[in-house]
Every structure is written in structure tokens, then in C-alpha cells.
Amino acid sequence: MTVIHVFPGQGAHRVGMGKELFASYPHLVRQADALLGYSIEELCLRGPAERLSDTRYTQCAMYTVGALAYIDRIRTTGELPDYVAGHSLGEYVALFAAGAFDFVTGLELVARRAGLMADAGPGAMAAVLGVTADEVRVVLARGGGPQVDIANLNAPEQTVVSGPPDDIAAAVSLLKTETRGAVVPLKVSGAFHAWPMAPAAREFEHFLAGYRFAPLRIPVISNATARPYGDAETAALLVRQLTSPVRWTESVGFLLDQPEPDFHELGPGQVLTGLISEIRAKRPVPAGVAS
């Protein structure tokens, strides 16, 4: 059996998350509060929801809850995973789990990332459900199309597009007209994992130059490559992640190819568990295997 821990990202957050964890790890909570300058427990448990949904706060809260959930899982089971992976912000929790950096260093990185992403200017995102990413690309490329990027490849028929607000509005209209899928605007304020994040990526690259990352003790699957990180790639892949699509379908496909994969989602909600089930269900049946 291959034990795999996966960590959700922004969007899985909710008021009340982590309530079963904070009391058990007061020393880490105090460290987080000292770094951030506010009570992370108060934010997660009581919000308000508007503040918790602000990128500057959401990412720090999700990282903290994910890291505490991982620590609690290891303390409870005594079992280390064979692989770890996270969706977008969740990749920082995966890197913490693998030993790339300690809890506080990871929170420093996340806080800076969140600030840069929030300051990158207005943007928008929309999910396209029920059609493949290739179909989305064909429609968007027709006649030049709006200036949007594929941001998340979440499942075989769940794709997220990202870009400036006017371009996303045009893309939503075009996709609703020319595909059979459902198109759902997302409640975000930025064009994450797309070309408008390029200035943030450059600033983040300069910031990461001041850090040195430890060799990974557990393989981490990169959002940008859908393959395990190399030890010398940590900073480069974290920079690349800001403007590259989250290749979640391919990442899960790689993990499903491991012997007897056993997934455990750690953090609020079960969004990734649902995506993994969808990806597994749509994988081709190997030749000679009864369906």
C-alpha cells in the first residue's frame, strides 16, 4: 500500500476550520500569532467570513490548519506517508510535511506569497464543468479569444480559467454559448495561476533567494510538473507555480499509478477527495482488465 496525504488550497476554507486542532498545539499557534500579528485561531474559528476569504488571510489560515492537521495525523497514527501533494497553497503544507522548511518558515513564505498575489491587481476566475480542457482551449482560441489562461486542471471535466475581469466575463459568455458545460464564476479577487501573476512571481523569486530549503524526506508532487520535486527545484517550482496551471489531474494520475494508493485528505473539507474519485472513475481501464 502507498500512503498518500493531500492538502487542499484556497477555496476549501470555512469559518470554524481547525477547531479540533488549536488547543492541542498552543506553542505553534503562538508562533503563528507572533509572526502574523493577529490571532490565527480567532480568524479560523470566528472569522468574520469576509476577512477569512481575503487572500492575505485565507492562505495563512489554510497553511496553519493544514500543517496542524498533518502533525496531528502523524502523532495519532505514527505513520509517515509515502507521498504528499497539495493543491495550489496546499503544496506549501506538503513541502512542510516533507521537511523542506519548518512550520514558521513555511508561514513566512505563505504570508509573503499571499500579499503579493493580493497586490497583483484585480482578476477573476471561472470553473468550466462537464467538458474537457481541450474543448475549453479550442473555444477560447477561436478568433483570438479573451486573454485568459487555464489555471486549474482539476479533473478530466473540471477546468478553471483565470485572467482579467473583463476577459473572464467574455470567456464565460463564450463558453456558455459554445459548449455544453456549466460555467461558474468563482468568488476570488485575483487571476491566480495565470499571466497577470507574473509581477508577483518576479517579486517572490527575489524573496525566496533569501532562503535555503532542506532536502525532501518524502516525495512531493509539484503542481507545475505533476511529478516529484527534485531537491534543487524547490524555489524555482514555487515561483513557477504562481503563473502555471495546477495540473491536479496529472498529479493524481501519477499517484494512482503507485502500488495500492491510499489517499488521505488533511485539512478542511473533502474537495480533493471528490476530485480524486472523479479522476479515478474516468481513468481508462488497462487492456485485459475487466471493468
Side-chain angles (χ1 to χ4, degrees):
M1 182 178 291
T2 303
V3 177
I4 302 160
H5 290 178
V6 295
F7 305 96
Q10 195 167 344
H13 61 282
R14 55 178 172 78
V15 174
M17 66 182 187
K19 64 182 179 180
E20 71 284 2
L21 297 167
F22 289 109
S24 298
Y25 302 97
H27 61 298
L28 293 177
V29 175
R30 286 194 298 270
Q31 290 176 31
D33 291 352
L35 173 66
L36 297 171
Y38 58 84
S39 170
I40 195 70
E41 181 176 4
E42 181 76 15
L43 174 66
C44 290
L45 299 189
R46 297 174 182 85
E50 294 77 11
R51 189 183 192 206
L52 184 59
S53 295
D54 182 325
T55 294
R56 292 177 177 84
Y57 296 98
T58 312
Q59 295 191 19
C60 296
M62 286 294 297
Y63 171 82
T64 300
V65 171
L68 295 183
Y70 175 76
I71 293 167
D72 196 65
R73 172 83 184 188
I74 301 306
R75 190 178 77 167
T76 302
T77 66
E79 179 184 60
L80 289 172
D82 298 297
Y83 287 90
V84 290
H87 191 286
S88 190
L89 181 278
E91 192 163 295
Y92 286 76
V93 186
L95 287 164
F96 161 72
F101 39 70
D102 62 24
F103 171 76
V104 172
T105 300
L107 188 55
E108 289 177 354
L109 301 180
V110 167
R112 182 59 173 158
R113 175 187 191 261
L116 289 170
M117 292 173 73
D119 290 341
M125 301 175 76
V128 189
L129 312 175
V131 297
T132 67
D134 285 342
E135 291 176 271
V136 172
R137 290 188 183 98
V138 168
V139 170
L140 293 178
R142 197 170 296 149
Q147 297 301 301
V148 303
D149 284 346
I150 300 291
N152 299 345
L153 296 152
N154 284 338
E157 293 189 352
Q158 184 181 137
T159 302
V160 175
V161 295
S162 180
D166 289 347
D167 288 277
I168 287 295
V172 167
S173 178
L174 190 62
L175 289 162
K176 283 182 175 179
T177 301
E178 300 200 24
T179 74
R180 67 185 188 283
V183 186
V184 183
L186 301 182
K187 294 180 179 180
V188 299
S189 59
F192 305 145
H193 301 291
W195 65 266
M197 287 290 128
R202 289 192 292 270
E203 288 291 326
F204 197 49
E205 183 175 21
H206 293 314
F207 178 73
L208 290 182
Y211 289 83
R212 294 294 177 267
F213 299 104
L216 302 179
R217 299 192 295 264
I218 302 167
V220 179
I221 306 305
S222 164
N223 285 183
T225 67
R227 290 295 181 270
Y229 270 73
D231 282 337
E233 295 183 299
T234 301
L237 287 177
L238 289 179
V239 172
R240 183 175 166 188
Q241 191 215 52
L242 287 172
T243 55
S244 296
V246 175
R247 295 166 61 179
W248 190 249
T249 301
E250 292 173 77
S251 298
V252 172
F254 174 87
L255 292 167
L256 286 171
D257 286 336
Q258 307 310 309
E260 299 182 64
D262 181 28
F263 290 89
H264 301 270
E265 183 170 0
L266 303 182
Q270 291 290 295
V271 171
L272 299 184
T273 300
L275 292 177
I276 291 165
S277 295
E278 186 176 343
I279 294 164
R280 191 193 297 263
K282 292 184 180 294
R283 275 167 66 85
V285 178
V289 177
S291 60

